[in-house]
């Protein structure tokens, strides 16, 4: 009888442990919302997990989609880390109380211009807005690659331009904020309305236009130069990358901790890791070509330094604080949504 009792007790304990494990996430498992390319995100998650022993789940989304998800979950956050995507969206999240401040022990390796002074976000890479054109298409229509923002208004470009939608894409919002800072708000929105009349093809993701240009489905895209370099290296060697003579803007891709997310200690370890030279250099191993923010990190040879471009003095704080207003204005005044137009 004793043996049966002991065996029954052991079985009961084992079943209890099994059912408990099935009912909840393993302790210490981080959930990350990633704005990076899928291959870059996978490499980062695998390496972080291997080096720290902390298990990681991730979901890949565009930056605007990540912000919307964090807003929806603010009372019960599912993720702890926001990894990648333009920092102006992080700034909006900061103003809405959605991020947790953390000044990493590794922050001194990152120049001040690439990080939030209070630690709400820290830059991990930098990339510039570019014109990306299909060389074959340009030859067929007798055009040179666009040299200026005004070039995109030429009749030959009608129906052959693609860019992302700023409501979902950080790339597209960087473009919108660039034009407003470059030309002033009134002139920029007048330009955007004219550009819309060119039958622009809008996409959810900022990188998708590069692939459609490479396949010859459209002639020119407005997108980040490092995304275009990725497509070029993957075989779309009919791509031509150029930059507007009037000036262009750029992103600071960032990492931050989601307020109230589970496993905050592991989240801080992730930020510490993401700022290191070794972590930042992972992207080039899987074909990503951004400039890096860690002073000691070696960027890919193909990466285009901002110093070689005519970049505007992009006001990141202003862009973040005005993001919601400018996107709403673009939606109503350019798309005509909310004005009785389709």
């Amino acid at each position: 009888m004793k043996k049966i009792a002991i065996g029954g007790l052991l079985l009961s304990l084992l079943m209890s442990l099994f059912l408990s494990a099935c009912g909840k996430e393993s302790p210490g498992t981080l959930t990350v919302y990633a704005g990076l390319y899928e291959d870059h995100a996978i490499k980062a998650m695998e390496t972080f997990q291997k080096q720290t022993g902390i298990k990681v789940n991730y979901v890949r989304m565009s930056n605007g989609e990540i912000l919307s998800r964090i807003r929806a979950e603010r009372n019960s956050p599912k993720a702890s880390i926001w990894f990648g995507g333009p920092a102006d969206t992080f700034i909006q999240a900061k103003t809405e109380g959605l991020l947790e401040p953390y000044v990493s022990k590794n922050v001194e390796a990152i120049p001040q211009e690439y990080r939030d002074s209070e630690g709400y976000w820290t830059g991990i890479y930098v990339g510039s807005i570019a014109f990306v054109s299909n060389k074959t298409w340009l030859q067929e229509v007798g055009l040179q690659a666009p040299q200026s923002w005004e070039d995109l208004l030429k009749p030959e470009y009608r129906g052959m331009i693609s860019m992302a939608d700023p409501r979902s894409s950080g790339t597209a919002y960087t473009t919108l904020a660039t034009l407003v800072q470059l030309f002033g708000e009134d002139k920029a929105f007048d330009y955007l309305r004219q550009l819309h009349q060119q039958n622009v093809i809008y996409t959810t993701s900022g990188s998708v236009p590069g692939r459609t240009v490479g396949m010859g489905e459209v002639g020119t895209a407005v997108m980040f130069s490092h995304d275009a370099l990725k497509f070029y290296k993957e075989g779309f060697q009919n791509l031509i990358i150029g930059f507007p003579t009037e000036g262009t803007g750029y992103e600071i891709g960032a990492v931050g901790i989601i307020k109230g997310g589970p496993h905050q200690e592991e989240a801080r370890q992730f930020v510490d890791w993401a700022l290191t030279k070794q972590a930042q250099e992972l992207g080039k191993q899987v074909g990503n070509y951004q400039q890096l923010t860690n002073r000691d990190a070696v960027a890919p040879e193909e990466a285009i330094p901002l110093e070689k471009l005519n970049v505007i003095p992009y006001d990141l704080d202003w862009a973040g604080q005005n993001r919601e207003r400018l996107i709403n204005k673009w939606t109503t005044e350019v798309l005509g949504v909310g004005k009785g137009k389709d």
Side-chain angles (χ1 to χ4, degrees):
M1 294 292 291
K2 283 185 178 180
K3 290 176 70 175
I4 294 172
I6 292 171
L9 177 61
L10 287 172
L11 180 61
S12 177
L13 286 171
L14 288 170
M15 287 298 293
S16 177
L17 289 170
F18 175 77
L19 291 171
S20 176
C22 290
K24 61 182 180 180
E25 185 181 31
S26 301
T29 300
L30 274 178
T31 296
V32 176
Y33 290 157
L36 301 167
Y37 264 105
E38 194 86 22
D39 55 4
H40 193 172
I42 291 171
K43 184 70 173 178
M45 301 306 125
E46 288 178 346
T47 305
F48 173 75
Q49 186 165 298
K50 182 178 181 180
Q51 292 180 355
T52 66
I54 299 171
K55 294 183 179 180
V56 188
N57 297 322
Y58 82 97
V59 181
R60 164 71 179 92
M61 292 179 283
S62 294
N63 229 32
E65 294 173 322
I66 293 175
L67 177 59
S68 296
R69 178 75 67 89
I70 295 172
R71 280 173 172 165
E73 297 173 350
R74 70 181 305 156
N75 294 325
S76 182
K78 303 297 188 296
S80 303
I81 289 288
W82 184 351
F83 185 45
D88 34 29
T89 315
F90 284 73
I91 292 170
Q92 183 176 351
K94 170 187 173 181
T95 65
E96 296 181 16
L98 299 174
L99 298 180
E100 191 77 36
Y102 172 59
V103 179
S104 169
K105 63 183 181 181
N106 296 326
V107 77
E108 291 305 316
I110 313 299
Q112 290 185 355
E113 63 266 30
Y114 295 144
R115 53 185 164 97
D116 178 65
S117 61
E118 299 174 287
Y120 283 91
W121 60 270
T122 309
I124 53 176
Y125 61 82
V126 182
S128 51
I129 293 291
F131 297 150
V132 181
S133 301
N134 183 295
K135 181 178 180 180
T136 304
W137 176 78
L138 289 172
Q139 292 172 342
E140 288 175 351
V141 296
L143 287 174
Q144 297 294 317
Q147 303 294 312
S148 71
W149 292 104
E150 291 296 322
D151 281 349
L152 299 183
L153 301 182
K154 292 178 178 178
E156 294 90 340
Y157 283 95
R158 186 174 177 81
M160 293 301 291
I161 300 172
S162 183
M163 61 182 289
D165 185 324
R167 293 173 293 183
S168 60
S169 164
T171 307
Y173 179 69
T174 302
T175 302
L176 170 56
T178 293
L179 289 166
V180 172
Q181 293 181 60
L182 179 63
F183 295 129
E185 192 164 323
D186 290 344
K187 185 176 178 181
F189 272 87
D190 180 60
Y191 172 81
L192 287 164
R193 283 188 290 268
Q194 293 181 63
L195 186 64
H196 181 67
Q197 295 303 313
Q198 292 284 70
N199 291 342
V200 174
I201 300 167
Y202 299 107
T203 63
T204 301
S205 168
S207 61
V208 169
R211 190 174 296 279
T212 58
V213 171
M215 296 174 67
E217 295 175 4
V218 295
T220 294
V222 182
M223 59 185 292
F224 284 129
S225 58
H226 53 264
D227 290 339
L229 282 168
K230 182 176 181 64
F231 290 128
Y232 183 86
K233 289 287 188 176
E234 288 177 353
F236 291 112
Q237 297 192 352
N238 55 350
L239 295 180
I240 298 175
I241 302 172
F243 299 90
T245 54
E246 303 98 326
T248 195
Y250 60 93
E251 71 163 330
I252 300 172
V255 62
I257 298 176
I258 297 167
K259 187 174 182 178
H263 311 305
Q264 291 284 302
E265 176 56 36
E266 288 85 350
R268 289 189 283 272
Q269 290 183 55
F270 187 94
V271 172
D272 292 341
W273 174 84
L275 304 187
T276 64
K277 163 184 164 67
Q278 293 78 11
Q280 291 196 10
E281 290 179 355
L282 289 174
K284 62 185 177 183
Q285 295 181 24
V286 288
N288 291 273
Y289 302 101
Q290 300 97 331
Q291 286 292 315
L292 306 176
T293 61
N294 184 300
R295 292 187 180 93
D296 298 323
V298 179
E301 291 182 5
E302 299 88 345
I304 302 172
L306 296 185
E307 295 78 16
K308 293 187 176 182
L309 304 175
N310 179 24
V311 293
I312 67 170
Y314 191 87
D315 188 334
L316 190 65
D317 286 331
W318 178 90
Q321 293 162 10
N322 285 273
R323 181 179 178 276
E324 191 82 2
R325 180 182 68 82
L326 291 176
I327 289 175
N328 287 339
K329 185 172 181 177
W330 181 85
T331 303
T332 57
E333 296 194 9
V334 176
L335 294 187
V337 175
K339 285 190 172 185
K341 298 179 181 179
D342 199 68

